[in-house]
Every structure is written in structure tokens, then in C-alpha cells.
Amino acid sequence: MPTLTFWYDFASTYSFLAAEAVDDAAAVAGVEVTWRPFLLGPIFAGQGYTTSPFNLYPAKGRHMWRDLARLAARLGYPAIVRPDPFPANGLLAARVATALADTDRPAFSRAVFRAEFVGGADIADRSVMARLLTALCHDAEAVLARAASDEVKASLRAATAAAEQRGIFGAPSFTAADGELFWGSDRLADALAFAQGQRWGLPA
């Protein structure tokens, strides 16, 4: 089966949109998706950013929030809530997602994004993570303990390093089996087509 890796950061607005769409679109396309949480912060720091580019460039930020509202309305999603502060601290959520089994990660990740961008929850709050885990029938305390382990911390650092090595500079991103990189939730269809073998006459 063709494969695609979905790279996402819980502070990323467009990662929320991608998380809502990727599994259904991949099922239709016959592509297996691997969900890889990572941290954009260290990558941004390496690029000289001290915060999100949407904060550094106000016009870009204003456009992003309006664009996100338009897209959510068109797709029938609830109104988007802007986290305060933005970007949210997604470290704990990323560690918890990393601690979960691959099969459990998508549902938890979607729940985090919805809690953050629809419910206005603080995803850096341990009690929020516990509530989401419990709602998904996980042993919240056991998962949170594993998320705090050196093994999981190292695994998340390795995922962030792997993202950077693949040339990833933003989220969401998608990589095909051969490493071809697609950036942005609006590139999901292209990423799936590429995973299926579509090349549009593109030189190798």
C-alpha cells in the first residue's frame, strides 16, 4: 500500500485543518498515513525566529486568521478560537501523542486540536490532557507518566530532528516514501496523488 507521513505541530493552525481531513482523504486514495508529531519551535529557532511568523509579520497573521475562519466555515467546522497565548505550548500534547500507540495517535491528536482551536482549552494543562485521554478510554495517569519518560522525550526530539533533516520548515507537512515534501494543508491532495505514483511529468 502507498504510504504518506503526516508531520504536525499542535500549535499549528493549519495542522488542525489537515488533521480533520487526512484520514478520510487517505482512505479514499488507498494510502496509509503515519502521524508524526514534532516541534516547530526548535526549527523556527534555527531559522532565526523567536515566535511564529504569523506573530512576527502582522499582515500575514491577520490574513491567516481570516483564511482559517473562511476555510472552517466552508468545511462546516465550528468557529475557530484563537489560543491565548498564540502559539500555544504544544510540548505536553506532543509528548502524550508520542507516548500513544500509532493506532491511538490520530484520534487523540484530533481531540487535542479540537479542544484547542474550537474549545479554547489550554493544551499545556495536564488536566486537559487527562480529560481528553479519559474521554478516549485511556488510562490517563499511565499515559501521562509514560509521556514524561526519558524514552518519549528522546523520541520526540528525534522526530523533530528527522523533520528538520527532511527539509521540513513548517506544519503541516507531508512526506512521501521517497522523501518528496509537501507543505500546507492545501497540498494534501497532491501529496496523496504523489504517494499513489502520480508525477505529472515531473523530472526525477
Side-chain angles (χ1 to χ4, degrees):
M1 177 181 286
T3 61
L4 192 71
T5 301
F6 169 39
W7 302 83
Y8 59 101
D9 182 302
F10 284 109
S12 163
T13 53
Y14 289 105
S15 287
F16 164 52
L17 296 184
E20 289 291 317
V22 63
D23 276 356
D24 286 346
V28 171
V31 175
E32 182 179 351
V33 175
T34 298
W35 289 55
R36 287 293 295 273
F38 75 109
L39 299 177
L40 266 177
I43 293 176
F44 279 167
Q47 297 169 350
Y49 295 150
T50 56
T51 184
S52 166
F54 293 127
N55 289 341
L56 292 172
Y57 305 103
K60 187 174 185 177
R62 287 191 298 271
H63 175 79
M64 181 274 291
W65 289 112
R66 182 60 179 176
D67 185 50
L68 197 69
R70 281 196 308 260
L71 288 168
R74 178 171 66 80
L75 295 168
Y77 298 164
I80 299 298
V81 174
R82 178 172 178 164
D84 184 18
F86 175 78
N89 183 342
L91 176 60
L92 175 60
R95 285 176 175 169
V96 174
T98 302
L100 290 171
D102 291 349
T103 52
D104 293 326
R105 194 170 298 129
F108 171 76
S109 298
R110 283 190 294 267
V112 172
F113 280 121
R114 292 169 186 172
E116 176 186 10
F117 290 113
V118 177
D122 178 5
I123 63 169
D125 187 329
R126 193 176 187 276
S127 66
V128 170
M129 293 296 103
R131 173 172 58 82
L132 297 177
L133 287 165
T134 299
L136 292 167
C137 299
H138 294 293
D139 181 336
E141 290 306 314
V143 175
L144 285 165
R146 174 161 165 71
S149 69
D150 289 342
E151 177 188 359
V152 166
K153 291 176 182 178
S155 182
L156 180 58
R157 286 194 297 270
T160 300
E164 190 167 22
Q165 289 165 4
R166 285 162 174 76
I168 291 174
F169 55 87
S173 289
F174 308 94
T175 52
D178 66 354
E180 187 80 10
L181 171 63
F182 298 81
W183 170 54
S185 59
D186 58 346
R187 293 296 182 265
L188 173 57
D190 286 351
L192 290 169
F194 193 94
Q196 292 173 310
Q198 176 62 257
R199 293 298 181 270
W200 310 285
L202 183 72

